[in-house]
Amino acid sequence: MAKSGNHLTLYELNKLVRDVIEYEMPNEYWVEAELSECRETRGHCYMELIQKDEHSATPIAKASAKCWASKWMLVRPYFERTTGQRLHAGMKVLLKVYPQFHEAYGFSWIVTDIDPTYTLGDMARKRQEIIRQLKEQGIFDLQKELRLPLFCQNIAVISSETAAGYGDFCNQLADNPYGLKFSTRLFPAIMQGDGVEQSIISALNRIYDITSQSVRHSVRFDAVVVIRGGGATSDMSGFDTLALAENVANFPLPIITGIGHDRDESILDMVSHTRVKTPTAAAAFLIDHLKNVLDILNDSQDKMTRLAQQQLVYYKSQFATIAGILPRLFSNVKIRQEARLDALNDSITHLAQMKLSSSGSMLTTISQRIPILLDRRLMSEKHRLQLIEERTKSLDPALLLQRGYSITLKNGKAVRDASQLQPGDTIETRLAKGTIHSTVIEEQ
């Protein structure tokens, strides 16, 4: 057990630690770290620092850091202007710090400066790594290969519903000086902060579902516009992610970006079909595109009108020339045709006379042969009639009756089968001499 008078109170122990730290570490130090958390409260910035193992990404060191408001109001604007980013979790930073141990609040590093060039280098490295992966996958330039439809009028818009830029975009499309008509549909998304990536991807998925089922929805979008207006220009990290870039690069519709980032392009800008600076520039791009199509159509219409007029003039001239030639041609043709008709008339008259002469001779010959042919035919037919008469006589039923045969009739028709008769039927039997009438009593 500790002896009385040899123990320390917690305050005394903490003060001893504070004195040691202040004595042994009086200087400021530049330290590399990754932010695992960063929040601003009452003008002060509170950070949680972390260092991970390069191979396993397992945390191997952690610490808290603070930047007091007096420093933070100077450090923050310079950092954001230089990097175009706000401090956020996952960002690597180079901080100038000194140690501070407070008896009541414990240990923390006090930040006096932040080197934005270090963060820029790390951001550039990450961006280059994402670009390398996109190019290795062969999708970095896929959007550039898509053709913007000539009549690009049905626009899907991804933006914050309350963003001023969205209103400016819609107003500029609606009030364009050429009277061109556009149809827009908003797909709300978070356009700043940590939720940008997943929010835009979800909006793209909704647009894809509607487009792929356009028959059911009666909607087909021509292009997608991603716009951002009114947000902080220093909060662009959500547009530099691999997942968002992959979704945009593989999207089947042209995507136009106007996210208001003047300093340099985001990866989203790089993989999109067309990048402009602002929402109003995106609207101007769509208006100019459709106006160019309208100009082409008007020019084509003018050319077609001029060509039609030239053709009309040419054909009128041709018709006038033909109209002058036709009477002469008709006169010549008439003379030739009349001569041809006269020749044909003479030829027909001559042929008719020859035919009549030939036919008269043929008729004389035929008239001389007819009596001879008639006599032969009469003799032949007379002989054939005699043969028929003899054959008919041999088939006369009376001869059969004279030989002892009889004929039974029912209703004037010969009975050849007893089954034709029924009891009570009256039948007639003809003999060589006389006729017998009978009534059938029973069928045998």
Side-chain angles (χ1 to χ4, degrees):
M1 295 181 62
K3 294 181 180 180
S4 177
N6 291 335
H7 63 270
L8 299 174
T9 65
L10 178 59
Y11 177 82
E12 291 173 335
L13 181 60
N14 285 352
K15 188 175 184 306
L16 180 60
V17 171
R18 175 180 177 177
D19 293 341
V20 170
I21 289 175
E22 290 179 355
Y23 179 77
E24 294 293 337
M25 301 179 68
N27 301 320
E28 294 182 328
Y29 306 90
W30 285 102
V31 59
E32 300 175 1
E34 179 180 328
L35 296 176
S36 63
E37 184 181 338
C38 183
R39 66 186 185 280
E40 190 172 338
T41 305
R42 283 181 276 186
H44 309 298
C45 182
Y46 296 87
M47 312 172 198
E48 295 295 328
L49 310 180
I50 191 171
Q51 180 181 348
K52 298 177 182 177
D53 183 86
E54 294 181 359
H55 304 290
S56 63
T58 302
I60 58 175
K62 292 183 179 181
S64 296
K66 302 180 183 71
C67 187
W68 303 123
S70 57
K71 284 289 184 182
W72 181 240
M73 63 184 298
L74 301 174
V75 169
R76 173 185 171 181
Y78 176 68
F79 180 86
E80 291 180 355
R81 283 197 308 270
T82 305
T83 63
Q85 300 279 331
R86 301 173 73 176
L87 287 174
H88 60 268
M91 178 180 283
K92 287 192 175 181
V93 290
L94 181 62
L95 307 174
K96 190 175 186 180
V97 299
Y98 65 87
Q100 185 182 73
F101 189 87
H102 191 277
E103 293 85 345
Y105 303 110
F107 180 84
S108 65
W109 294 102
I110 304 302
V111 178
T112 60
D113 199 1
I114 306 175
D115 186 355
T117 59
Y118 174 85
T119 303
L120 276 175
D122 184 67
M123 289 167 52
R125 181 190 61 78
K126 289 181 178 178
R127 283 160 57 93
Q128 289 303 316
E129 178 62 19
I130 292 173
I131 292 170
R132 182 190 65 78
Q133 292 183 53
L134 294 172
K135 289 183 176 180
E136 282 186 356
Q137 295 175 39
I139 62 174
F140 187 78
D141 293 316
L142 280 183
Q143 274 280 314
K144 304 294 190 297
E145 298 173 7
L146 297 176
R147 290 188 60 185
L148 198 66
L150 289 177
F151 299 95
C152 188
Q153 295 173 279
N154 294 324
I155 312 300
V157 183
I158 299 177
S159 179
S160 171
E161 190 170 7
T162 58
Y166 170 63
D168 294 340
F169 173 82
C170 292
N171 291 335
Q172 186 156 343
L173 285 183
D175 300 332
N176 70 85
Y178 312 110
L180 302 174
K181 301 299 181 183
F182 293 89
S183 174
T184 61
R185 178 172 173 180
L186 177 65
F187 292 83
I190 298 171
M191 302 305 289
Q192 61 181 1
D194 296 334
V196 169
E197 176 190 85
Q198 192 53 50
S199 183
I200 295 179
I201 291 174
S202 296
L204 288 173
N205 289 337
R206 293 196 300 275
I207 296 169
Y208 177 80
D209 289 341
I210 291 174
T211 302
S212 61
Q213 300 174 11
S214 57
V215 174
R216 189 180 73 183
H217 289 276
S218 300
V219 173
R220 182 167 182 82
F221 296 112
D222 299 316
V224 178
V225 173
V226 181
I227 52 177
R228 173 183 183 270
T233 58
S234 60
D235 191 5
M236 302 293 293
S237 59
F239 301 100
D240 283 333
T241 69
L242 178 61
L244 179 57
E246 288 175 335
N247 275 267
V248 169
N250 287 293
F251 203 73
L253 296 178
I255 294 179
I256 301 164
T257 58
I259 54 179
H261 191 28
D262 294 333
R263 190 180 57 81
D264 64 293
E265 289 183 313
S266 67
I267 294 178
L268 174 63
D269 291 322
M270 293 178 186
V271 299
S272 65
H273 179 277
T274 301
R275 180 249 181 172
V276 295
K277 290 184 178 181
T278 63
T280 53
F285 172 79
L286 291 171
I287 294 169
D288 291 343
H289 173 77
L290 196 57
K291 177 61 169 57
N292 290 335
V293 174
L294 179 62
D295 289 343
I296 292 172
L297 291 176
N298 289 334
D299 289 344
S300 299
Q301 182 179 3
D302 292 341
K303 288 179 182 178
M304 292 175 66
T305 302
R306 288 196 302 271
L307 287 173
Q309 291 173 344
Q310 292 172 1
Q311 290 293 311
L312 284 173
V313 171
Y314 171 76
Y315 286 122
K316 282 183 179 179
S317 174
Q318 292 293 309
F319 289 149
T321 302
I322 292 171
I325 295 173
L326 275 177
R328 295 194 302 272
L329 292 176
F330 179 75
S331 177
N332 294 335
V333 170
K334 180 181 178 183
I335 292 171
R336 287 198 299 270
Q337 293 299 322
E338 287 178 346
R340 183 169 175 271
L341 288 173
D342 290 340
L344 287 172
N345 184 50
D346 294 341
S347 177
I348 290 170
T349 302
H350 178 68
L351 289 173
Q353 290 174 349
M354 290 178 62
K355 188 67 174 179
L356 286 172
S357 176
S358 173
S359 298
S361 177
M362 184 181 296
L363 287 172
T364 301
T365 303
I366 291 172
S367 63
Q368 293 173 352
R369 294 183 60 187
I370 284 175
I372 300 171
L373 292 173
L374 284 175
D375 290 341
R376 290 179 182 175
R377 183 61 180 268
L378 286 172
M379 290 178 65
S380 174
E381 291 298 322
K382 185 177 181 180
H383 178 68
R384 190 169 70 83
L385 286 173
Q386 289 174 349
L387 293 175
I388 292 172
E389 183 180 359
E390 291 177 0
R391 190 178 299 163
T392 302
K393 287 180 179 180
S394 65
L395 297 174
D396 188 355
L399 294 176
L400 293 174
L401 294 177
Q402 289 177 2
R403 294 176 186 170
Y405 294 98
S406 64
I407 299 174
T408 301
L409 303 174
K410 178 187 175 183
N411 298 327
K413 296 182 179 179
V415 178
R416 294 182 175 81
D417 188 349
S419 63
Q420 295 177 332
L421 302 177
Q422 301 291 331
D425 288 346
T426 300
I427 59 176
E428 179 183 345
T429 303
R430 291 184 182 179
L431 305 173
K433 293 182 179 180
T435 300
I436 301 170
H437 293 278
S438 310
T439 299
V440 176
I441 299 173
E442 182 179 357
E443 179 184 357
Q444 298 291 327

